[in-house]
Amino acid sequence: MRLLLLSTAMAWTHRGTAWDSFPLHWSMDDGRAADLPGDTDLEVVKAAWDNWNISGCTTELMGEDLDRFDGRRDLGSPDFADGILGFYWDDPGQELATGVYSISYLVPSSSIVKVANGRSYYGVLGADIVFNDGIDLATTEEVSSGTCADQLAAETLVTHEIGHLLGLGHSCELGEVCTEADQQEATMYWSPEPCDLGWTELGDDDIAGINALYGPSISLTSSMGELVSGVTPLEVAFKLEKDDRVTISSATWYFGDGETSTGLEPTHSYTVDGQFTVRSEGVAYTEACGAFSYSDANFAMVTACSEPTWQEGAAGFFQLEEVEGLRWRTINHTNMDVYGCVDSISWEIFEGAEVDPEKGLDLSGLGDITRAWAPELQFPGAGTYTVVMSVGGPAGTKGAKLTVNVAEAGGCSTAPTWGLSGLLGFAGLAALRRRKS
């Protein structure tokens, strides 16, 4: 999981989305704004991408090896989730009101591509920019030559919208007063001035924001992956991985159980049951970025477990209680104090007072009671039955059995009896299976 480059001010805003890989591919529609003759629109988009690619120490956002870079196609109406960045100059749906220059449409996925500073960033499936055909745009050449007549510079507008596509919000939220100079000078400020190319040059706020999303990669890994589970005491090795540009100056690890460590490859032993969040923070350096802080508060979740057991004060894993005649309810006393230490459950019923696989009842017609937490049982008739429950987790599977005398509804019977016949190991339950961790 990529870590953010941090700034003390953190003035930029993010949209909660990020692209998972680069370079990005884009295409143009065949519509042209009247004041963008010939291939000017294509050159404007190339120039706008170049503006973001020189943002300092960030990864390359737009490469040269693009199969659609110089190829246009008639895109028709925007398709925001087609995986292609579409640039529509003629507002094909006539959706933009007077005074609205352009809109970026992004379609986020349900996959989180990074988590940093307590915020999740969702991957982008596709995005398009739609420009208003009712605004008067000037080419970069017109602005540079002084022939711009109170028009909005197209390159400025496209550069701004590409910032949104990359995941940046505005430097100030709408209605806020931007008091910081880097916010006021940011490309992602709200409204550029006419005939102004100044905002095609990224300001400090823009660079900090884009580097926070796509800067040098520092990843936390463990010997057991990002979701770690196992038997207490659980020993886990951690390390930092980085791209070749990065030198890590210092690292402090927080293991979630109150213990800390330094170094790039610590090993930690979890001696008590629990679920723990691991994070690391420190200082790194690249030639392009200089020194920067890194931090990630949600790298790995470690679940350390003992074997399943029952709640304090209970006589066993479960009880049986008569509802009426052949209908009985189960009362589950499995200890669930540590989330994740029990991840499977199953039930079986056998005729007689023993666990005999040859006398197991077929429960397939009774719904999904075999995986229910506390199912209601319907016995087929009066008699003696053995009910087996098995619960499993990272530390293994434990089971218990109860023997019960069942009477027909309205019939005569001695009082129902049941007793805990002891824990059953995983190997002793022929029909109970759970996946290996």
Side-chain angles (χ1 to χ4, degrees):
M1 186 171 293
R2 186 172 293 153
L3 306 185
L4 287 185
L5 304 175
L6 299 181
S7 162
T8 54
M10 292 185 68
W12 70 85
T13 59
H14 289 156
R15 303 183 78 177
T17 57
W19 294 89
D20 195 22
S21 62
F22 293 101
L24 301 180
H25 296 261
W26 57 271
S27 186
M28 303 290 295
D29 72 322
D30 279 338
R32 306 285 193 276
D35 57 342
L36 290 175
D39 290 338
T40 305
D41 53 354
L42 188 64
E43 299 305 319
V44 163
V45 176
K46 288 182 180 181
W49 275 115
D50 286 342
N51 293 334
W52 284 104
N53 278 334
I54 60 171
S55 63
C57 57
T58 193
T59 55
E60 177 107 343
L61 304 178
M62 178 58 66
E64 292 298 323
D65 184 20
L66 301 175
D67 56 11
R68 298 184 183 91
F69 196 74
D70 288 310
R72 269 177 233 152
R73 64 187 180 99
D74 186 0
L75 296 177
S77 297
D79 182 357
F80 308 131
D82 61 0
I84 301 173
L85 292 178
F87 289 82
Y88 296 83
W89 295 99
D90 58 350
D91 189 9
Q94 297 299 307
E95 300 174 350
L96 305 189
T98 301
V100 177
Y101 297 149
S102 53
I103 291 182
S104 326
Y105 295 93
L106 285 86
V107 179
S109 71
S110 58
S111 295
I112 297 174
V113 296
K114 57 173 65 71
V115 178
N117 296 316
R119 183 172 188 179
S120 297
Y121 290 83
Y122 293 86
V124 181
L125 295 175
D128 290 315
I129 299 177
V130 176
F131 299 92
N132 197 329
D133 57 357
I135 59 174
D136 191 10
L137 297 175
T139 65
T140 301
E141 181 180 1
E142 288 171 334
V143 175
S144 301
S145 64
T147 59
C148 173
D150 204 31
Q151 300 158 292
L152 183 65
E155 185 180 337
T156 295
L157 181 59
V158 178
T159 302
H160 180 101
E161 291 301 331
I162 288 176
H164 285 319
L165 291 182
L166 294 173
L168 289 182
H170 292 107
S171 291
C172 295
E173 297 295 341
L174 185 61
E176 289 184 350
V177 177
C178 283
T179 57
E180 301 295 328
D182 62 338
Q183 297 174 9
Q184 296 169 359
E185 297 169 357
T187 297
M188 300 312 297
Y189 196 62
W190 274 90
S191 298
E193 297 293 330
C195 300
D196 183 5
L197 289 175
W199 286 1
T200 61
E201 300 177 6
L202 304 189
D204 291 341
D205 190 67
D206 307 313
I207 294 172
I210 205 68
N211 284 340
L213 284 173
Y214 306 114
S217 171
I218 301 175
S219 302
L220 306 179
T221 62
S222 82
S223 57
M224 302 173 68
E226 291 188 1
L227 296 176
V228 180
S229 62
V231 183
T232 306
L234 177 62
E235 187 170 277
V236 186
F238 300 96
K239 66 179 179 179
L240 293 171
E241 293 186 346
K242 58 186 179 61
D243 64 38
D244 294 338
R245 299 174 295 166
V246 178
T247 300
I248 300 176
S249 305
S250 65
T252 301
W253 294 80
Y254 300 88
F255 298 113
D257 60 355
E259 299 295 324
T260 62
S261 179
T262 58
L264 302 187
E265 298 187 17
T267 297
H268 184 65
S269 180
Y270 292 88
T271 59
V272 297
D273 292 1
Q275 195 168 65
F276 310 98
T277 301
V278 181
R279 65 185 181 90
S280 179
E281 63 183 33
V283 176
Y285 172 87
T286 71
E287 184 175 351
C289 302
F292 61 88
S293 299
Y294 71 85
S295 177
D296 194 340
N298 193 17
F299 150 65
M301 189 67 70
V302 175
T303 303
C305 304
S306 298
E307 290 183 331
T309 186
W310 53 79
Q311 300 166 3
E312 185 177 353
F317 275 110
F318 72 103
Q319 290 176 259
L320 293 172
E321 184 177 89
E322 182 181 12
V323 177
E324 181 181 6
L326 302 180
R327 290 173 54 218
W328 288 66
R329 68 169 57 94
T330 58
I331 302 172
N332 196 332
H333 294 303
T334 304
N335 186 347
M336 297 291 288
D337 287 348
V338 179
Y339 181 81
C341 283
V342 172
D343 59 20
S344 67
I345 184 171
S346 60
W347 298 85
E348 289 184 307
I349 303 175
F350 302 88
E351 292 181 343
E354 299 296 332
V355 177
D356 184 350
E358 299 297 324
K359 295 183 179 182
L361 300 185
D362 182 4
L363 305 180
S364 60
L366 301 179
D368 195 23
I369 71 166
T370 59
R371 295 293 181 264
W373 177 249
E376 185 174 285
L377 308 178
Q378 179 76 29
F379 293 96
T384 299
Y385 297 89
T386 298
V387 179
V388 176
M389 182 189 79
S390 180
V391 288
T397 299
K398 284 293 185 179
K401 65 178 182 179
L402 294 178
T403 301
V404 60
N405 293 326
V406 176
E408 296 279 4
C412 297
S413 173
T414 58
T417 62
W418 58 86
L420 182 67
S421 298
L423 295 177
L424 299 177
F426 175 76
L429 300 177
L432 298 180
R433 294 179 176 86
R434 66 176 298 272
R435 62 175 175 83
K436 293 182 179 181
S437 299

